[in-house]
Amino acid sequence: MPVASDTDGLDDAVDRSGDDDGDLPINELFCSLQGEGRLAGVPSVFVRTSGCNLRCWFCDSYHTSWEPTGDWYGVDALVAAVESYDAAHVVLTGGEPLVHERSVDLLESLAARGYHTTVETNGTIYRDAPIDLASVSPKLESSTPTAERDPKGDGEWADRHDARRLDVDVLAEFVEAYDTQLKFVVTGPDDMPEIEALVADVRAAADAPVPDEAVLLMPEGQTRDRLAETRRVVADLALEYGYRYTPRLHVDLWNDAPGT
Ligand code: SF4
């Protein structure tokens, strides 16, 4: 069922009708191996919320952003679903899970039961919650859905996306509050000056260190064929700049199959 609109404004990122009942709009919930970042390979339950305040043209969860779909679930039902799997790690992802205030309730319930929680976020909205690993993926200029790259329209979202996609002070808040990895989707060497500048800005703004190994370069690509083109380039960039390379294990293993 559709849960969101693509109209303007953060409050319109999702239909808010379920929030009053303490529910979250959920696109999917499944168990798989974490495919990206420091915990790649770890069995994890993925809770994917629907709705996002951005519209990256390459979004690999189109049905949580460009055309958000899902159903509303209460926190207790979600925790019960998580507990039905044999995994100690939970990844709260989206969409942008932190557009939803109720994500904090879910994270608190999971923490109370001893789960390790990772939150996959675009780093534009900060919330105070029990997050064991903040996996923050700042969006570069190359993410903007210009008319030529818009998967749905003619660039109507480009200005809003561009205005919202980076907030250095919010990124600094994540770094200060949580064990944080900064994960960048990289298309090629042209992205590196922007990444270097942004990492420098976050380091200057945060009262906590951002070591090079907390900066992850991830090849752009949602299919094995596309990754075959980008991963060697990005691996070489990681070596050159001293940052960490992260695979997209789920694409390597399952290509673009849903629920992986
Ligand atoms: S921030 Fe993430 S979920 Fe939102 S549009 Fe970009 S890639 Fe998709």
Side-chain angles (χ1 to χ4, degrees):
M1 97 184 215
V3 296
S5 70
D6 58 356
T7 53
D8 196 6
L10 181 58
D11 286 342
D12 294 326
V14 293
D15 173 351
R16 315 298 292 180
S17 57
D19 270 359
D20 291 341
D21 301 327
D23 290 354
L24 274 165
I26 299 298
N27 176 265
E28 59 180 348
L29 187 152
F30 59 94
C31 189
S32 186
L33 301 180
Q34 171 60 287
E36 305 168 356
R38 198 192 302 167
L39 294 174
V42 175
S44 305
V45 180
F46 290 78
V47 181
R48 187 183 302 285
T49 59
S50 202
C52 185
N53 56 333
L54 301 184
R55 293 292 187 278
C56 306
W57 67 268
F58 52 69
C59 183
D60 60 2
S61 55
Y62 183 89
H63 289 289
T64 67
S65 55
W66 288 97
E67 290 189 17
T69 58
D71 279 304
W72 295 88
Y73 291 90
V75 167
D76 289 348
L78 291 170
V79 170
V82 167
E83 286 178 324
S84 70
Y85 294 104
D86 184 17
H89 288 245
V90 178
V91 181
L92 182 61
T93 185
E96 172 47 62
L98 298 182
V99 298
H100 310 295
E101 208 177 316
R102 297 295 182 190
S103 287
V104 176
D105 299 337
L106 176 60
L107 290 163
E108 285 174 347
S109 288
L110 292 168
R113 287 162 177 78
Y115 284 101
H116 178 287
T117 58
T118 297
V119 172
E120 302 270 2
T121 174
N122 60 32
T124 59
I125 300 166
Y126 177 84
R127 291 195 190 273
D128 190 8
I131 297 171
D132 294 303
L133 176 61
S135 184
V136 180
S137 186
K139 298 308 179 220
L140 303 179
E141 200 178 329
S142 58
S143 67
T144 300
T146 55
E148 306 74 48
R149 294 190 295 202
D150 190 321
K152 190 180 178 189
D154 295 312
E156 292 88 345
W157 259 89
D159 289 346
R160 270 174 286 170
H161 176 93
D162 232 12
R164 293 174 179 172
R165 68 182 171 79
L166 281 183
D167 186 327
V168 170
D169 291 335
V170 172
L171 292 172
E173 274 188 282
F174 276 103
V175 167
E176 289 170 2
Y178 303 119
D179 186 8
T180 295
Q181 60 185 20
L182 293 179
K183 189 175 65 179
F184 293 95
V185 176
V186 180
T187 52
D190 290 349
D191 289 328
M192 294 312 295
E194 195 181 349
I195 292 171
E196 288 271 88
L198 181 57
V199 170
D201 286 347
V202 175
R203 282 175 170 154
D207 288 330
V210 181
D212 280 355
E213 60 265 28
V215 180
L216 280 55
L217 306 186
M218 184 169 76
E220 187 266 315
Q222 300 166 34
T223 64
R224 284 180 191 140
D225 286 348
R226 176 62 182 154
L227 272 190
E229 295 169 3
T230 57
R231 67 179 153 213
R232 181 59 193 269
V233 174
V234 176
D236 286 342
L237 289 170
L239 270 172
E240 182 183 342
Y241 285 84
Y243 295 143
R244 185 167 177 162
Y245 172 84
T246 174
R248 306 188 89 152
L249 204 53
H250 48 304
V251 179
D252 289 335
L253 290 169
W254 296 293
N255 203 11
D256 53 358
T260 59

